[in-house]
Amino acid sequence: MHLTHASGALSARDANMVETDKRVVRWIAQAAVNVELFTIPLYMTTLYSIEGFHPITGKGNDFYKGRIWPGAKAAAFTDLPKDKPGWGNKRAFNIIFSVFIQEMLHLQMAANIATAIGHEPNFTDPALQDRNNGWTCYGPDLTAIPTIVDLPDTATYANVKVNVGPLDEDRIELFLAIEQPQEDAERDIVRNTERYFPKVPFDRGDPDYDPASADIWFGSIGYMYQCYRDYLQIRYDDGSCLWDHVFNPDGQQNDLFNGFSFPGHPMREYMGVETTVALTDSGIAFKQVLAMMNAITDQGEGATLKVRLKQANEAGLLKAVEVRYRPDRDALESDYPSYSDTGAQVPSGDAAARFDNDGEDHFARFGQVRDLLRDGGIVTWDKAGKAGNWSAADLTTADFDPNDNPYGLPTPDQIATALNNLHAEEIREQSYHILSQAVVGAIKGVTTVLDQYWNPRGAAISFPYPSMAGSGDRMATAWAAMGRTPDLSHGVPPPNTRIVNHTCQGLALHAPGGIGTNSCALTQVYHTCRGSNLCKGMGGCGFVQPSGGGGNCSTSTLRAAAADPTPGKPQGGGCSAVSVRAKGGLCGTPTPSPTATSFTAPSDNRCGGFGGCAVPISACQIYPVSGTMDLYQLEPAPNANAGAFKPVKFGTLPFNKGDKVEDIAFKAFGEVAKQMNLPQPAWQEPNDLRLAFPPST
């Protein structure tokens, strides 16, 4: 087995090399973030290629009883016999889902370690994405796992391409190559072997050494983390070590797994390992960093750093993840409850998928999926034959009652027709492009926020949970409607910040064809979650936001739409138009709080911690709680640049549990038009995209 350093290389090093070593170890920190992030869209695309359906559920919520939408979900299905149709799909989904979630954990750990050593992690790095956040690291002719291995240099994976796609043999071979244990990788790299497994330190005595311009390939993810660890332990001839020079007690630490919040996340998921670094004590912090690296490599390839015992490997013991690095089942059940379509609690699908599979490392889990594939028990959307052939029966369950529709939801027939319309030959390529951009835009709503989440400037920002969930829904819808792999290279250009873009329902005050004539914004406009805020001040037909709180606005002014709309370009306002709103939109439910009884309209997105989450909003979206919406008119702000406005409240609009979001949005829009002495808009029927996308809860 390759050693990461020569004897004595980590001790008595010339202290003049400290700055060089700081530069290298922080480059490794970003390489680790890149590799972990690289796996997430890749695994997610394959995950949602698996044919399956899910209800839209919530505690005490029976809005969507008997209805299902395309897209498999994690499920507790122990009562389903292996010989029943669908068992292979459910099993494969649960396994890949468990890896997918754990890669998010690894990304969090890599980011927390990075900030602990003074590096600001970049989640939109040019190594993976272009300037419009299209993913350039995947493609039909690409062969490189970033900084790890160029697959033609291997014996086993020489013909494998690094590309997104359905769950098939090619994808599983790629996933196995990514998660390959170090010992296997060392044997498997048979060409250009001198490129791989560099020795720490990399510089060979050159104080000007720049790893960013060097051709560094680690050979395996495990070897990368071993080099990372070794660099941090370098000791100099003045008695200090590199950790002493890079430790940053002010590094931003974030936790999505072991954090406590009631009632949303009441238990730590990982009782045996910290997922953040305690920066109050340098020594404790260093031990935690090493433990987190061990957790990543043990979960991924089945071996902690420098614990690769030959006898254990021969006994198969390295295929089991140490108990301390596994999640607690009770915690998963508590943190991720599941509900039936009538709102009753049922066994947690997330807990079943993760706890039942997290005892095996990622390499072993993907081997299990390969066995399922070879048994022929898996069907993916590209082979399901559903694209263009949807019927109402596909979207309902046995307890669906067509006569029971108290909320006036679109019928399953309408939704099936919309899915088929998107696949119609004359618009098929256009639909494919739009749906691909919807996926990329949702992912962009995560990565761009993470850049701020770990590198805050001013007020801290929240994790974009709605966009993370929404990206799965959009991925599943794209797969189901088109029957082909979404193109993640279709980037989403930044929106024009000089105009206020509407997002659905024709709610634009200054549309070229007249008020209310537009049906949806250009697909470049996504602000897919509270927090991403990619197009603040640009509309969004999502849920309302509590009037109080937030605090993420650096100014009380907003640049509104240009006075003279340009035909053919996006114009106008959001759900409640250019003049309505003060603090943004929320994709999820209005925040339940004893003090949150008044809400602003859902389209301003002016503040850094807010954003409207469904673009376009699902025609089936319903308010799960009641409240009162505040209505605002924008007036020129005093002592501000031309085009800047301040919100002035002029009225309120009540909404009730069970009201359709689009109805309330339209009423708000009408009130704004009335206040501005503009014609009342005409009602817009939902378009096919709004019918096809599922609601959120």
Side-chain angles (χ1 to χ4, degrees):
M1 184 181 72
H2 285 90
L3 297 177
T4 53
H5 59 277
S7 177
L10 305 185
S11 61
R13 181 162 162 81
D14 187 342
N16 291 325
M17 298 299 289
V18 167
E19 291 304 315
T20 303
D21 294 341
K22 288 166 65 176
R23 184 164 59 247
V24 173
V25 79
R26 287 168 177 160
W27 176 86
I28 298 174
Q30 184 59 49
V33 169
N34 284 350
V35 169
E36 304 298 355
L37 179 59
F38 159 83
T39 66
I40 291 174
L42 182 65
Y43 292 171
M44 183 172 75
T45 304
T46 296
L47 177 69
Y48 288 104
S49 76
I50 300 172
E51 183 192 33
F53 297 85
H54 67 281
I56 301 296
T57 64
K59 184 177 182 180
N61 178 345
D62 64 353
F63 296 148
Y64 309 109
K65 180 181 178 181
R67 292 171 176 256
I68 51 177
W69 275 264
K73 296 290 183 184
F77 63 100
T78 53
D79 58 339
L80 183 66
K82 291 185 178 181
D83 59 351
K84 289 291 185 181
W87 185 89
N89 277 25
K90 290 179 181 292
R91 176 75 178 125
F93 189 94
N94 274 13
I95 294 173
I96 300 175
F97 177 81
S98 70
V99 175
F100 173 62
I101 296 298
Q102 222 158 47
E103 291 296 348
M104 295 183 194
L105 170 66
H106 295 179
L107 182 62
Q108 172 187 298
M109 288 179 166
N112 283 338
I113 295 171
T115 65
I117 64 168
H119 175 71
E120 294 189 350
N122 183 359
F123 299 89
T124 53
D125 194 284
L128 304 181
Q129 304 167 49
D130 63 24
R131 61 186 298 177
N132 293 326
N133 301 102
W135 292 81
T136 56
C137 54
Y138 317 123
D141 300 316
L142 299 183
T143 58
I145 299 169
T147 69
I148 302 300
V149 64
D150 193 16
L151 294 177
D153 290 339
T154 69
T156 304
Y157 307 107
N159 297 319
V160 173
K161 304 302 181 185
V162 178
N163 198 18
V164 292
L167 177 54
D168 56 17
E169 287 273 355
D170 291 341
R171 236 54 53 192
I172 289 299
E173 289 302 301
L174 172 59
F175 298 171
L176 290 170
I178 293 168
E179 306 288 355
Q180 191 176 36
Q182 180 185 336
E183 295 92 334
D184 293 351
E186 291 180 9
R187 291 189 296 267
D188 202 45
I189 294 174
V190 295
R191 285 172 282 276
N192 299 313
T193 55
E194 70 283 355
R195 300 174 70 186
Y196 299 97
F197 307 109
K199 300 295 185 184
V200 174
F202 302 157
D203 54 78
R204 300 182 182 180
D206 177 9
D208 297 322
Y209 179 81
D210 181 6
S213 59
D215 188 29
I216 297 177
W217 296 84
F218 291 105
S220 74
I221 293 176
Y223 194 89
M224 176 187 69
Y225 278 105
Q226 187 69 61
C227 290
Y228 199 170
R229 172 183 178 136
D230 287 350
Y231 254 100
L232 292 175
Q233 296 184 105
I234 289 176
R235 188 162 293 278
Y236 300 97
D237 54 14
D238 63 0
S240 66
C241 71
L242 183 59
W243 174 260
D244 300 326
H245 296 281
V246 297
F247 174 64
N248 175 26
D250 298 318
Q252 176 70 28
Q253 297 292 298
N254 293 311
D255 198 351
L256 308 177
F257 293 87
N258 276 355
F260 171 83
S261 64
F262 185 82
H265 194 272
M267 293 184 68
R268 288 170 52 104
E269 296 177 38
Y270 291 88
M271 303 293 187
V273 65
E274 297 301 325
T275 55
T276 56
V277 184
L279 298 176
T280 53
D281 184 281
S282 175
I284 293 173
F286 185 59
K287 288 190 289 186
Q288 289 177 334
V289 163
L290 300 188
M292 288 161 65
M293 290 183 180
N294 277 337
I296 292 170
T297 57
D298 195 29
Q299 291 170 350
E301 59 178 87
T304 54
L305 301 179
K306 290 190 175 179
V307 185
R308 305 174 189 280
L309 304 178
K310 183 174 183 295
Q311 62 269 32
N313 192 32
E314 291 173 348
L317 298 180
L318 292 186
K319 295 302 181 185
V321 174
E322 291 187 26
V323 172
R324 59 179 166 159
Y325 300 138
R326 304 181 197 179
D328 179 85
R329 178 147 208 159
D330 288 344
L332 296 179
E333 293 276 3
S334 298
D335 293 339
Y336 303 101
S338 294
Y339 300 95
S340 71
D341 62 358
T342 60
Q345 189 165 351
V346 296
S348 169
D350 281 33
R354 293 176 56 190
F355 184 82
D356 292 350
N357 293 294
D358 282 0
E360 296 287 327
D361 62 70
H362 295 183
F363 188 79
R365 280 180 247 180
F366 284 134
Q368 294 172 4
V369 177
R370 180 174 57 185
D371 292 341
L372 290 171
L373 270 174
R374 292 175 176 176
D375 289 342
I378 295 176
V379 178
T380 50
W381 286 115
D382 56 313
K383 296 179 180 177
K386 295 305 302 178
N389 296 300
W390 290 93
S391 69
D394 297 322
L395 305 174
T396 58
T397 63
D399 60 349
F400 176 70
D401 182 355
N403 298 314
D404 183 17
N405 189 12
Y407 308 110
L409 298 175
T411 67
D413 275 313
Q414 289 176 291
I415 297 173
T417 298
L419 287 166
N420 291 333
N421 288 345
L422 291 171
H423 195 260
E425 184 175 0
E426 61 272 20
I427 65 165
R428 189 174 301 161
E429 290 308 310
Q430 178 185 1
S431 296
Y432 176 67
H433 180 77
I434 289 173
L435 287 168
S436 293
Q437 279 202 312
V439 173
V440 173
I443 299 172
K444 178 178 180 176
V446 178
T447 56
T448 54
V449 177
L450 295 185
D451 279 342
Q452 304 170 63
Y453 188 53
W454 261 280
N455 309 310
R457 299 289 184 269
I461 198 166
S462 299
F463 181 80
Y465 289 105
S467 194
M468 192 71 249
S471 62
D473 281 339
R474 276 156 173 66
M475 182 76 79
T477 301
W479 266 114
M482 306 312 299
R484 57 197 278 207
T485 309
D487 187 346
L488 301 192
S489 70
H490 285 189
V492 180
N496 185 344
T497 58
R498 297 291 300 176
I499 58 178
V500 183
N501 294 283
H502 68 289
T503 57
C504 70
Q505 258 193 293
L507 305 185
L509 287 171
H510 302 291
I515 185 170
T517 55
N518 298 79
S519 60
C520 274
L522 297 183
T523 57
Q524 289 93 324
V525 183
Y526 281 103
H527 48 255
T528 48
C529 68
R530 178 175 62 167
S532 68
N533 201 34
L534 297 180
C535 28
K536 50 191 172 186
M538 297 191 183
C541 293
F543 281 109
V544 296
Q545 178 70 30
S547 297
N552 291 326
C553 294
S554 59
T555 175
S556 61
T557 61
L558 165 68
R559 294 197 174 278
D564 299 316
T566 303
K569 292 186 178 181
Q571 308 288 339
C575 290
S576 40
V578 69
S579 63
V580 53
R581 18 246 182 149
K583 284 197 173 107
L586 172 62
C587 173
T589 62
T591 305
S593 161
T595 60
T597 57
S598 180
F599 303 87
T600 66
S603 55
D604 188 19
N605 310 333
R606 180 171 53 84
C607 307
F610 299 95
C613 201
V615 182
I617 189 69
S618 169
C620 290
Q621 193 72 65
I622 292 173
Y623 279 116
V625 298
S626 300
T628 301
M629 178 188 296
D630 291 334
L631 301 177
Y632 289 79
Q633 180 175 356
L634 295 183
E635 296 182 354
N639 303 319
N641 295 330
F645 292 79
K646 65 177 182 179
V648 177
K649 180 179 174 181
F650 70 85
T652 60
L653 179 68
F655 60 90
N656 297 308
K657 178 179 179 179
D659 282 344
K660 291 167 68 177
V661 169
E662 62 177 346
D663 291 345
I664 300 303
F666 188 77
K667 288 180 180 179
F669 183 68
E671 290 298 315
V672 172
K674 181 180 178 181
Q675 177 73 10
M676 298 180 68
N677 296 315
L678 293 171
Q680 284 297 296
W683 172 258
Q684 298 284 312
E685 292 295 332
N687 68 2
D688 290 330
L689 278 175
R690 293 185 53 225
L691 288 164
F693 282 134
S696 60
T697 54

